[in-house]
Amino acid sequence: MKQNGFHIILAIFLCTFSAYAQLDSIQQLPEVMLTDSKLVHFSKGFKLEKLNDSIVERNASSLTETLRYNSTIYFKENGFGMASSPSFRGTNAAQTAVIWNGVNINSVFTGQTDFNTISPLNYNEISIRSGGGGVQYGSGAVGGSIHLNNTYSFKKIDTTQVGLNYGSFSTVGGNASTTQIWGDHYLNVGMDFISSENDYDYVGKNQKNNHGEFLRFAAKVNEARRLKRGVATWNSEYTYNDRNFSGSLNTIGKDSYKDISTRNLWQLQQRVGAFDTKASVAHLFEQYRYFPDSEKSLYDEGRANTFIGSFQSEVLLQKKFRINGKAEYSYINAEGDNVGKNSRKTLAAVLLMNHKISDDFSYGINIRKEFLNDFDNPFLFSVDGKWNVSKNYALRLNGSKNYRVPTFNDLFWYAGGNHNLQPETSYQMELGQEFSLGKLKADLAAYYISSEDLIKWIPGNSGIWEPVNLNNTRNYGAEVVVNYSVKLINQHTLSFSANYSYTKAEDLEKEKQLIYVPFHKATGTLQYNFKTLLVYFQGLYNGETYTTTDNSYAVKGYKIFNLGSEYTFSSLPQITFGGRLKNVFNVYYENVAYRPMPSRNIQLFLKFNI
Amino acid sequence: MMKKLLYFTFATSLLISCSNDDDPQTDPIPPAAYEKGILVTNEGPFNNGSGNITFVSEDYATVAQNIYRTVNGKELGNIVQSMGFQEENAYIVVSNSAKIMIANRYTFERVDSIKTGLVNPRYFMGDSGNKGYVTDWGDPNDNSDDYVAVLDLRTNTVTTTIPVAFGPERMVSYNNKIYVAHQGAYGQNNLVSVISGNSLESTITVGDVPNSMIISGNSLYVLCGGNPTYTGNETAGLLVKIDLLTAQVSQIFTFQTTQHPTNLTMDGANLFYSLNGKVYKLDTASISLPGIDIISGIFYALQAKDGKLYATDADDFASKGSLLIYDLSTNQQIQDFQTGIVPGGIYFND
């Protein structure tokens, strides 16, 4: 019993969110604990999707790839492997929070995460939480948040995985990780890298993607130790990216970008009487170097250290009321050639409450207030409820106020940075419906987001671009998720999953769709399993996106299909090999105007489970 | 239900893919269609697109967008920075694509291109004979590699380069000499270089950030914006008058420290320029700053000619801009035409 108060059991997760379970069955590991338990307990009225391991592994070249083919999130990618920013429900790139084990890791400088710098293999679990999460996750969780979680358990395990990848465009990758559990100790160590010449053909253009080489290296250490009345955990990761930025149809790529980040999180969980307490200390470090000319040694640099200390306490009253109070102090210290030396302190108080009225109905009320903030201290709230109407049908409802604070670039950029900026604020509502009929699961969500004071860089009087709180937008849309699987004769299984989203994101002054937000996006996977053989066909439809604010120019929509297969030998060690043919029909497509994406290519992998 | 959804998705995707027509092609226009009129160079979206050229006929009856592509079926390239003329030809400087596209200035049929020897070309100036000059920043982050490329206009090649101080920008020519304003690329500079033949003859120190020049008689007027406030060393804008016979500064007119004028142009005896959302008029016979404000508007480019003021509005720099024409006798707007994205240069085809 002693662990119950501290840990989230995967089983709960499975029950609550079974409607979202994707194709492949999730490994039934008992007692797997999340380092960020808030995600599950206080998000019941929110759409939460978990990407399972096999889905992550087959799209492992970057987090962009993982999410592009398996979610409704749209990515604006400056050519394959280059800078990649998300638009979640039509919100801007800084309005998707990336949460690593409960810690917001969006860049201090840009307010965003470049999804091509994240290795999807570094985590046990990747979840997508749609809708406002500002109360729990702070600035930037407006459109939604992506959760990168490392889990732990204390059931004896000794497992090691080694993987090798090889593919077109001189792409080479490798990964190795081991998990050792003995007694009260959990240890997980891993690394992976990918490197690519990335010199793909521009289909039908007689041109190549020059100067687009990239290298990513990531390493992780996750440790947990069971104590007498609690658990101490340490999560740590390091990533290094070295990329040349490719040219476009009519420009030559010259610049390059190198970035390093380290993340460390120490947590001590203790049960004190009826209270589950957690004390956390986190340190985040990010450094980038931008080389205007990759052949030269001249660069612009930025470095930021973020220190976060927090304390939270949670109690479950009468098995019905779950209340969590949290105080979090963060100190950011950043220094850069373009932003000078600056710091920011924030103290946040968060109160989360979930009330389970019955097995079928629960609601939550969450509030956050910040202090010491450089801005008008925002007061954020969210309200959510979930009602299991019947065995086959459930309703979700949530509403929230969220915000995004100006980044250090917005505030201090030389030249143009504007010290008088205020946070972007947004109000939103969502209604979700979950259907389940045997193996058929469907989720329908409709949302409305109204945002004010969006920060936009515009040319000022002196010809210098400067950011101002200018735009007001209104986003609304609908999302559909469908999963279905059917057992054919013997051990043959056929399964299907699909996402579709309609997104209207409107600049209220211009009454035009925001740039780089497609109205339509759809993904789908059809998969066939026979024993340990698996074949799948994956498709992506990305609708037209406008590239100018008056909607006078657009990037055409495109449909891309991938075909993949893998086979596992049930030998010892277990060996899996497989491959994926991407862009099967070799179509020409651009994700960002004038920046073609890869021609048909193949990726092969070999994996050992020891 | 699933079937329906699939069908719906499929149907929508069909609909969407059929409705792509972002930039309708205009019908081919007969040769010499772009004689007698106004040409506007549109920089285009930075990094991810192509610039183009808008034509407006003298009688305002014809407006043609994207004329180079209409005629040649090809885009110009990324960042159409500026355009210069020599004889029958237009030399279109495409900075980010590091090239100059050459077309007949009246038909816009492609003649040739110059792609070797240019790094970050800015402006073209034709000299008498077969010589042309192009200012080039080199690597904009390197202040020591800036140059003026000398072109042989018969072979359309760079024959030699003349190293100059950093940030060479606009040029004017007088008496077989080329005067180059060093606005200062990403930084600030305060020089005018004098080039004669293939060599740098002298440099004249003017105010900070010389951004536009006009020749009137034997005088060169150089409008200097001054260092902007963010530099931490804000300096006042200056209007510097240079006597071209002696190559000496003859007069300096000083703005207030916080005033940073741009876009000097001239019509008759009057100078015009932009400052803080207004266009000012100065009589060269008796210059007294800032002059009279005659028109309101934030303009990206400004040209005065024959009693009219031509101005471009780049809006938010991420949508189509416009060309506005004012009658200088009444200071009233008389025309308004849509252009391409970021209209940065106004030229006249007589």
Side-chain angles (χ1 to χ4, degrees), chain A residues 288-312:
Chain A
Y288 74 84
R289 282 181 181 172
Y290 174 74
F291 296 75
D293 186 335
S294 63
E295 302 289 308
K296 295 183 183 172
S297 55
L298 208 74
Y299 59 82
D300 284 338
E301 187 183 49
R303 261 180 293 178
N305 282 290
T306 303
F307 301 90
I308 303 167
S310 74
F311 180 79
Q312 61 178 299

Side-chain angles (χ1 to χ4, degrees), chain A residues 250-251 292 296 298 414-415 456 459 464-465 482 510 520 522 541 544 548-550 552-553 556 592-595, chain B residues 2 5 9 12 16 20 22-23 48-50 52 75 77-78 97 139 141 230-231 315-320 341:
Chain A
N250 57 12
T251 57
K296 295 183 183 172
L298 208 74
Y414 177 84
K456 188 177 178 186
I464 299 300
W465 288 65
V482 179
K510 290 185 174 250
H520 305 277
Y541 171 71
E544 179 184 55
T548 52
T549 56
D550 55 358
S552 57
Y553 286 86
K556 286 183 176 165
V592 168
Y594 286 74
R595 295 186 177 274
Chain B
M2 201 173 70
L5 175 77
T9 313
T12 9
I16 294 308
N20 268 322
D22 42 89
D23 209 359
N48 304 318
S50 176
N52 56 46
E75 305 271 22
N78 192 239
S97 295
D139 178 349
N141 299 286
Y230 69 79
T231 58
D315 193 33
D316 63 354
F317 288 72
S319 54
K320 287 188 173 175
I341 296 165

Side-chain angles (χ1 to χ4, degrees), chain A residues 40-55:
Chain A
V40 180
H41 274 163
F42 299 100
S43 301
K44 297 207 193 294
F46 285 85
K47 180 174 169 185
L48 190 62
E49 296 163 275
K50 179 176 175 283
L51 299 181
N52 66 52
D53 298 347
S54 59
I55 276 181

Side-chain angles (χ1 to χ4, degrees), chain A residues 242-295:
Chain A
D242 181 355
R243 288 179 290 176
N244 281 344
F245 283 158
S246 49
S248 67
L249 279 178
N250 57 12
T251 57
I252 302 152
K254 280 183 196 156
D255 47 351
S256 67
Y257 197 83
K258 293 180 187 179
D259 61 83
I260 292 174
S261 47
T262 67
R263 301 176 185 114
N264 279 285
L265 170 68
W266 295 269
Q267 300 199 98
L268 177 64
Q269 304 178 33
Q270 287 277 324
R271 186 163 179 100
V272 182
F275 294 91
D276 296 320
T277 63
K278 184 155 86 177
S280 308
V281 177
H283 173 249
L284 309 175
F285 170 77
E286 62 177 295
Q287 174 190 286
Y288 74 84
R289 282 181 181 172
Y290 174 74
F291 296 75
D293 186 335
S294 63
E295 302 289 308

